[in-house]
Amino acid sequence: MPLSPQRAVDELKELRELTSDESGAQRLAWTDTWLRAREWFAKKLAELPVEHHYDSAGNNWATLRGASKKSLLIGGHLDSVPNGGWLDGSLNTLAALEVLRRFASEFNGRPPVTIRIVDWADEEGARFGRSLLGSSAFAGTHSISSDRARSDRSGIKLEDALRRCGVEIDRFAEAENERKDAAAYIELHIEQGPVLERLDLPLGVVLGTKGVERHIVTFHGQEAHSGSTPMSARRDALAAAAKLALEIRDIARRYPDAVCTVGSLKTFPGIATAVVGRCEATLDQRDLDPGILARMYRDAQEASHRFAEEEKCTVEWSRLWSIEPVPFHTELLALCEQAVREVSGSSHRLPSGPLHDAAEVSRAGIPTAMMFVQSLRGISHNKIEDTREDHLELSVTALDRLASKTVDWILR
Ligand SMILES: [Zn+2]
């Protein structure tokens, strides 16, 4: 079977048919629809000369044994957010399947190195609020002891939802065994942003995933009657938070790829007739450069203190979550660039704002590269998520080229 990018696109449509409704994809991890997607995928794998198993964190592996034990891993995720799109995670998985088929047929079931494809469990974290669950188990960076207490909106515990799908939390860490002989990891993904579309390029090379600083910034002022308190006597916590929300835009604009977002503001007491006594703002800052990330964090802190003083308030910071930037492997990036150029004529390097399973794999020390294909309108996590079909086909071809180049690299 030669590579058939068209077949990958047809299978994406098949999967959409099977697991979407009028609101979009419903392959939420650990639900029946997700299991149905996995069953469908397993049937495709059964037609190939591969070993198929689920690891102890629920990651779904298909292994085509090669002459060398050294393995090239190609990853994706079949899970989606609720009302999600048809490509996020699925494109990578079905493109990986197509590349696996090509290796199996070209080398009569025995390629020079072992080829493994993986459908990571619960990349999105949409149900329990913990993204990259399966790949973090693989990488040994999971936080399952604190995550086990999580529950979904209907009160179902993470632990119970996983058990229903055959995953025992106490054996979660055994997924690390899958790292044995892993020599490289590659992943294709839709961009989920507008950069490639603006440049009119179908494909791009991902430099790495941006680091994230995520904090709650709480301003304390004085609750007071909105009728009787003169403007000059107010200690308005919202006023200070509002200044910060505007300032972080300037902080981000100092750097070409940086982003800063105040995504939530909560006011207390939160009524029309009181000056805001306390305001909680969330701040999310991202960049690929750890130095820039640290500077933006410091600048935002300084600004918050200045605004607190101007509004006669105080401010305190508490970290919600953070992750360091994860740059991908320089040599594999160069191979990715070659593959993209060969297939589409030109290439562009860009960082990824969203996190991906590839970041976890890279953190585990496995050389990693990632490729983006253009997203129409830059929209994702939405049923209108889309990519031109000719671009989808190009992306499958480019992933296949990258896979071959990476196999040669592993053998060198
Ligand atoms: Zn994804």
Side-chain angles (χ1 to χ4, degrees):
M1 269 191 284
L3 186 82
S4 170
Q6 174 68 53
R7 176 172 42 204
V9 175
D10 291 344
E11 287 179 333
L12 278 165
K13 291 178 183 169
E14 226 179 284
L15 180 65
R16 176 169 63 181
E17 195 61 33
L18 187 72
T19 56
S20 303
D21 58 22
E22 63 287 346
S23 308
Q26 306 299 346
R27 295 182 302 276
L28 196 55
W30 322 107
T31 63
D32 289 341
T33 308
W34 179 64
L35 292 175
R36 200 182 317 141
R38 288 191 138 191
E39 235 167 76
W40 170 85
F41 190 63
K43 280 193 200 128
K44 307 266 174 198
L45 292 171
E47 295 162 13
L48 290 165
V50 297
E51 296 157 30
H52 177 214
H53 78 283
Y54 297 91
D55 70 22
S56 62
N59 300 311
N60 184 4
W61 294 90
T63 302
L64 175 67
R65 299 256 169 233
S68 165
K69 273 192 194 167
K70 287 187 188 168
S71 305
L72 167 64
L73 316 185
I74 314 174
H77 61 94
L78 287 177
D79 75 310
S80 75
V81 297
N83 307 327
W86 69 304
L87 300 171
D88 178 2
S90 306
L91 169 64
N92 358 351
T93 316
L94 291 166
L97 173 64
E98 193 53 38
V99 173
L100 186 70
R101 284 185 183 125
R102 196 270 297 167
F103 272 106
S105 95
E106 182 176 338
F107 295 99
N108 283 320
R110 199 169 160 82
V113 307
T114 298
I115 311 287
R116 306 186 72 199
I117 69 172
V118 53
D119 155 32
W120 300 109
D122 203 352
E123 190 269 353
E124 300 286 0
R127 187 168 164 198
F128 293 100
R130 199 321 180 177
S131 303
L132 311 179
L133 193 68
S135 54
S136 69
F138 167 88
T141 56
H142 66 84
S143 45
I144 202 70
S145 50
S146 50
D147 290 329
R148 69 190 314 155
R150 291 174 184 267
S151 56
D152 70 6
R153 276 180 189 198
S154 47
I156 296 172
K157 280 164 57 191
L158 176 79
E159 185 168 7
D160 296 332
L162 267 58
R163 183 170 297 128
R164 214 183 126 254
C165 298
V167 174
E168 285 299 330
I169 274 190
D170 292 318
R171 296 189 45 212
F172 207 73
E174 290 171 31
E176 287 180 40
N177 297 337
E178 305 295 332
R179 292 204 315 247
K180 191 161 176 278
D181 300 319
Y185 175 83
I186 57 175
E187 183 176 326
L188 164 69
H189 208 282
I190 51 167
E191 185 200 333
Q192 305 179 288
V195 175
L196 292 173
E197 189 179 41
R198 282 188 187 161
L199 294 168
D200 199 21
L201 293 173
L203 302 168
V205 178
V206 186
L207 288 162
T209 57
K210 292 179 179 178
V212 182
E213 284 285 358
R214 193 174 297 160
H215 298 260
I216 296 183
V217 188
T218 305
F219 290 92
H220 299 274
Q222 178 68 59
E223 278 174 33
H225 196 291
S226 62
S228 61
T229 316
M231 298 311 286
S232 60
R234 295 183 178 205
R235 298 173 56 211
D236 185 341
L238 174 61
K243 285 181 175 178
L244 181 67
L246 295 176
E247 179 72 12
I248 53 122
R249 305 192 304 173
D250 288 330
I251 291 174
R253 283 183 194 124
R254 289 172 202 153
Y255 312 101
D257 291 318
V259 286
C260 293
T261 307
V262 170
S264 161
L265 278 180
K266 286 187 198 151
T267 58
F268 302 88
I271 56 172
T273 52
V275 175
V276 174
R278 175 162 57 100
C279 183
E280 290 177 8
T282 60
L283 175 63
D284 180 291
Q285 301 182 293
R286 304 186 188 215
D287 198 80
L288 189 60
D289 180 326
I292 289 177
L293 192 60
R295 239 172 290 149
M296 292 202 302
Y297 173 42
R298 197 196 56 214
D299 288 352
Q301 277 192 317
E302 277 172 15
S304 75
H305 287 287
R306 190 165 77 243
F307 300 139
E309 209 179 297
E310 284 173 15
E311 299 300 329
K312 302 185 281 287
C313 297
T314 58
V315 63
E316 62 178 331
W317 284 64
S318 82
R319 179 174 268 118
L320 274 176
W321 183 71
S322 66
I323 186 171
E324 75 274 20
V326 180
F328 293 143
H329 193 273
T330 322
E331 289 175 34
L332 293 192
L333 282 183
L335 299 182
C336 189
E337 185 137 52
Q338 283 174 17
V340 167
R341 264 184 211 287
E342 284 169 19
V343 170
S344 69
S346 57
S347 164
H348 177 71
R349 294 182 168 215
L350 70 168
S352 172
L355 281 161
H356 291 287
D357 294 308
E360 288 293 357
V361 179
S362 182
R363 289 171 85 200
I366 297 165
T368 294
M370 207 177 165
M371 184 187 294
F372 274 164
V373 62
Q374 189 191 106
S375 289
L376 289 173
R377 302 173 297 269
I379 300 287
S380 183
H381 284 190
N382 185 311
K383 73 169 179 179
I384 67 164
E385 168 188 287
D386 208 1
T387 294
R388 276 168 49 178
E389 279 191 28
D390 57 326
H391 287 175
L392 291 175
E393 292 188 20
L394 279 181
S395 74
V396 178
T397 306
L399 181 72
D400 186 61
R401 295 271 178 110
L402 174 59
S404 286
K405 290 174 193 297
T406 310
V407 166
D408 292 342
W409 179 83
I410 291 170
L411 290 170
R412 275 208 294 274

